[in-house]
């Protein structure tokens, strides 16, 4: 199957007893057994597995070209499960402008558990490789990054990770498998905040892991089963429903994204636009090679004035865009990383990586482009 068919049919089958085309929401905690230890089907207790969640997990595995998908209560719960297969003394190399919540988990939870983290600009492959030692177990990669849209070459990093026998995990939340498939490029684990593009309708918090090796899938499933951060049946249904239109939505997100980036680039109030589809982007070459169907809907920009007040005023004025955290839904959102999504990153660290106070991040939705541009125009004015 091609990707645009997998989003709808990948790993799916009509429900056995009724023929229902969509899996029912199996809102049940437990399943009857005929004799002790002999369940009627394969299901026993919904923390271990639930049919609605299984349908979603099959879909996740299919769209990322993996063998096993796991659905979690949030994106961070998915990342947390990966951390739980590490041990004290292990080391992790991570992208330097990581999603704020991932950075918070690494520094404020897992450092206390004896795991050591190194943060590095993943475009500097020599530096990244130099940080690998015998304790290094995992490379945690985000590309494009949030909110600065920095790109890293997944295939090249995968080559290094293989050579050094280190696992590579990629947070694919921003790109989605419509634009890039990390497992095909050599990664071991793909992680998603399914809250964003996979769900796509800003109505659910969910997370996902997909792997291409059965054994690693078993290990991660054990971490999930043993510590409990599963996605409930109703939320599993919502994410599965979202995935059915992922390709359609992403196509429009990409079309609108590049138009918004072009518009901002030409505007006199705007200083810098961060969008991988612009030739001016420092990693435009990687973007063209790695992002296969477009460049997504995330656009970040700064103001010529460099003033925080201008960013704040702009964000108070937008009408079609909603000022809110999160991204990846059908509706356009605008966000001020310094005070909202990235407030948990310390100020000096923020400045060091370039998250200035005049930086605005847009999640360009699938509305009519004319209305989006008109809204940006009036707010910038
Ligand atoms: C939102 C987000 C997360 C965290 O996901 P939750 O579903 O909010 O727990 C992780 N990575 C990226 C890139 C995100 O945007």
């Amino acid at each position: 199957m091609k990707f645009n068919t997998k989003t709808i049919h990948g790993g799916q089958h009509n429900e056995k007893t009724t023929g229902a085309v969509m899996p029912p929401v199996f809102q049940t905690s437990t399943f009857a057994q005929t004799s002790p230890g002999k369940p009627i089907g394969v299901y026993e207790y919904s923390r271990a597995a639930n049919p609605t969640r299984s349908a979603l997990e099959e879909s996740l595995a299919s769209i990322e070209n993996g063998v096993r998908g796991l659905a979690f209560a949030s994106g961070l719960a998915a990342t947390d499960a990966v951390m739980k297969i590490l041990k004290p003394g292990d080391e992790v190399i991570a992208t330097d402008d990581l999603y704020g919540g991932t950075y918070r988990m690494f520094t404020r939870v897992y450092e206390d558990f004896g795991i050591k983290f190194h943060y590095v600009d993943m475009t500097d492959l020599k530096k990244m490789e130099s940080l690998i030692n015998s304790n290094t177990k995992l490379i945690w990669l985000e590309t494009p990054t949030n909110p600065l849209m920095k790109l890293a070459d997944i295939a090249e990093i995968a080559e290094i990770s293989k050579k050094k026998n280190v696992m590579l995990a990629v947070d694919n939340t921003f790109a989605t498998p419509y634009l890039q498939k990390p497992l095909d490029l050599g990664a071991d684990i793909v992680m998603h905040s399914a809250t964003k593009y996979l769900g796509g309708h800003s109505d659910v918090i969910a997370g996902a892991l997909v792997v291409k090796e059965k054994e690693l899938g078993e290990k991660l499933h054990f971490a999930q089963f043993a510590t409990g951060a599963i996605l409930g049946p109703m939320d599993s249904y919502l994410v599965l429903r979202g995935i059915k239109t992922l390709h359609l939505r992403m196509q429009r997100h990409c079309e609108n994204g590049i138009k918004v980036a072009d518009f901002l680039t030409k505007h006199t109030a705007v200083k810098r636009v961060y969008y991988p589809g612009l030739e001016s982007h420092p990693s435009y070459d990687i973007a063209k090679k790695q992002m296969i169907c477009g460049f997504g809907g995330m656009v970040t920009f700064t103001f010529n004035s460099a003033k925080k007040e201008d960013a704040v005023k702009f964000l108070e004025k937008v009408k079609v865009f909603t000022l809110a955290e999160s991204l990846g839904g059908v509706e356009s959102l605008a966000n001020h990383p310094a005070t909202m999504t990235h407030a948990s990153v310390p100020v000096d660290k923020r400045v060091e990586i370039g998250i200035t106070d005049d930086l605005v991040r847009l999640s360009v939705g699938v509305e009519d482009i004319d209305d989006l541009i008109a809204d940006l125009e009036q707010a910038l004015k």
Side-chain angles (χ1 to χ4, degrees):
M1 275 189 244
K2 298 271 175 61
F3 182 78
N4 294 351
T5 310
K6 283 185 175 181
T7 54
I8 297 162
H9 297 293
Q12 304 304 297
H13 49 78
N14 299 340
E15 200 270 325
K16 282 192 198 100
T17 51
T18 64
V21 168
M22 275 299 277
V25 179
F26 283 92
Q27 199 71 53
T28 186
S29 59
T30 193
F31 300 83
Q33 308 198 1
T34 52
S35 173
K38 290 213 171 63
I40 290 171
V42 296
Y43 296 98
E44 293 173 28
Y45 185 65
S46 282
R47 174 159 32 73
N50 169 285
T52 315
R53 193 168 91 237
S54 298
L56 168 62
E57 291 175 336
E58 293 286 331
S59 168
L60 291 165
S62 169
I63 60 173
E64 284 285 8
N65 292 344
V67 302
R68 178 97 189 240
L70 294 166
F72 290 84
S74 68
L76 287 183
T79 303
D80 179 69
V82 178
M83 291 302 121
K84 281 171 177 156
I85 66 172
L86 302 180
K87 293 195 174 60
D90 285 351
E91 297 191 12
V92 178
I93 298 171
T95 306
D96 60 357
D97 62 335
L98 216 47
Y99 172 72
T102 309
Y103 181 76
R104 180 175 52 210
M105 181 197 304
F106 288 178
T107 51
R108 293 178 58 189
V109 179
Y110 283 102
E111 264 178 29
D112 289 348
F113 280 56
I115 292 169
K116 191 170 170 189
F117 296 89
H118 304 270
Y119 301 94
V120 65
D121 178 344
M122 289 285 183
T123 59
D124 189 347
L125 293 181
K126 276 214 179 78
K127 174 120 186 262
M128 193 281 285
E129 189 168 355
S130 75
L131 292 169
I132 299 176
N133 62 45
S134 58
N135 293 326
T136 311
K137 293 286 148 53
L138 176 70
I139 297 170
W140 187 270
L141 188 62
E142 217 181 290
T143 180
T145 62
N146 175 9
L148 294 170
M149 307 304 293
K150 277 207 288 194
L151 299 188
D153 193 318
I154 300 173
E156 284 194 18
I157 292 171
E159 211 166 284
I160 297 170
S161 77
K162 283 216 177 62
K163 187 173 75 185
K164 302 275 185 175
N165 204 20
V166 173
M167 264 190 312
L168 172 62
V170 178
D171 182 336
N172 206 26
T173 301
F174 267 40
T176 83
Y178 179 80
L179 296 178
Q180 78 191 8
K181 295 187 187 63
L183 299 181
D184 286 357
L185 298 171
D188 302 287
I189 302 174
V190 171
M191 172 264 164
H192 276 279
S193 170
T195 310
K196 317 293 169 53
Y197 287 106
L198 298 190
H201 295 76
S202 307
D203 53 6
V204 63
I205 298 282
L209 295 177
V210 184
V211 297
K212 64 179 177 203
E213 251 184 42
K214 257 187 154 157
E215 210 177 305
L216 181 56
E218 275 309 313
K219 252 188 185 174
L220 291 165
H221 176 257
F222 178 79
Q224 181 189 46
F225 167 68
T227 66
I230 51 137
L231 191 64
M234 185 64 208
D235 290 348
S236 296
Y237 173 84
L238 287 171
V239 176
L240 183 61
R241 182 192 232 255
I243 289 173
K244 306 247 170 194
T245 56
L246 177 65
H247 53 305
L248 302 173
R249 289 182 286 107
M250 286 310 293
Q251 187 179 353
R252 183 61 63 83
H253 282 299
C254 291
E255 286 167 15
N256 285 354
I258 188 97
K259 285 180 187 156
V260 165
D262 276 336
F263 165 78
L264 291 171
T265 304
K266 290 178 192 132
H267 201 283
T268 51
V270 172
K271 183 166 185 201
R272 210 171 143 188
V273 181
Y274 301 79
Y275 185 73
L278 295 175
E279 274 177 53
S280 59
H281 190 286
S283 302
Y284 181 62
D285 286 348
I286 300 179
K288 271 199 308 190
K289 176 178 85 161
Q290 183 165 286
M291 301 176 80
I292 45 187
C293 290
F295 305 97
M298 298 305 297
V299 183
T300 300
F301 71 97
T302 57
F303 288 82
N304 261 329
S305 66
K307 280 189 187 149
K308 178 181 178 180
E309 301 90 87
D310 282 345
V312 170
K313 240 186 278 169
F314 167 85
L315 290 164
E316 287 170 354
K317 291 281 180 206
V318 284
K319 293 193 185 92
V320 181
F321 282 81
T322 301
L323 174 59
E325 297 202 5
S326 200
L327 60 108
V330 287
E331 64 287 292
S332 292
L333 300 179
N335 161 52
H336 189 240
T339 52
M340 296 165 70
T341 46
H342 290 66
S344 59
V345 180
V347 184
D348 51 336
K349 177 97 189 154
R350 269 207 311 265
V351 172
E352 187 192 312
I353 58 184
I355 304 176
T356 51
D357 283 351
D358 66 327
L359 191 87
V360 166
R361 188 191 77 187
L362 301 176
S363 171
V364 180
V366 298
E367 300 95 337
D368 192 288
I369 187 63
D370 292 346
D371 291 329
L372 296 181
I373 300 280
D375 191 35
L376 296 173
E377 179 87 73
Q378 66 80 22
L380 283 167
K381 198 168 161 195

